[in-house]
Amino acid sequence: MKLKLAIVYGILIWFLTYVLSEIFNPIFTDNLPNVNIVVPIIIIVVTGFFGILYIRNIDKNEVVEGFLGGAVFIIMDVICDYLFLILPQHNALIMEDYPLHLFSMIILTLLITTFLGYLAQMKIDLK
């Protein structure tokens, strides 16, 4: 497992999720006031991108590496949430319903990274 790379990607995932949710939230809440789909969509896109970057250099046990990488991403997300949002009591979009954010982030991240690991182990011949 490339722990340093997973930690860096986990921090980048958290940072980009926070910044993009702060940018795009006003657009969606003005047009769709009762729909809070911004953060899950951003988590899917950003985690998918960095999950691909992490998995593409793994040559064996891609499914296990995908799951472990996703676990590190989750741990880094929780640590960054605690350090930058919970301790300073910053009122961010992510913090509105934190248990829902945490649960959905865990499910989405583990599914995405494990599935990327599964896809990475497949031999596909497109002819």
Side-chain angles (χ1 to χ4, degrees):
M1 174 174 198
K2 299 179 179 183
L3 187 60
K4 289 180 185 178
L5 185 64
I7 290 172
V8 169
Y9 284 167
I11 292 170
L12 287 173
I13 289 170
W14 178 86
F15 179 75
L16 287 175
T17 301
Y18 172 74
V19 169
L20 292 174
S21 66
E22 291 295 320
I23 290 171
F24 288 114
N25 185 47
I27 296 169
F28 283 92
T29 55
D30 291 342
N31 297 324
L32 302 166
N34 295 327
V35 177
N36 191 7
I37 195 75
V38 176
V39 176
I41 289 175
I42 292 172
I43 289 172
I44 291 168
V45 171
V46 173
T47 303
F49 176 75
F50 284 104
I52 290 170
L53 291 179
Y54 178 75
I55 291 292
R56 72 179 179 174
N57 295 324
I58 307 295
D59 293 330
K60 57 183 177 179
N61 295 331
E62 291 92 347
V63 176
V64 174
E65 287 291 330
F67 183 81
L68 293 176
V72 172
F73 295 167
I74 291 167
I75 291 168
M76 295 313 302
D77 183 83
V78 170
I79 290 172
C80 289
D81 282 346
Y82 185 73
L83 290 177
F84 297 111
L85 300 177
I86 295 173
L87 282 180
Q89 297 178 350
H90 181 68
N91 190 15
L93 173 66
I94 293 172
M95 301 309 293
E96 285 180 6
D97 190 4
Y98 189 70
L100 178 65
H101 163 71
L102 185 64
F103 182 71
S104 65
M105 187 268 312
I106 289 170
I107 297 298
L108 289 173
T109 301
L110 287 179
L111 283 175
I112 290 169
T113 56
T114 306
F115 186 64
L116 286 172
Y118 174 73
L119 290 176
Q121 76 178 3
M122 295 176 68
K123 300 292 182 198
I124 300 173
D125 186 21
L126 298 175
K127 286 186 181 184

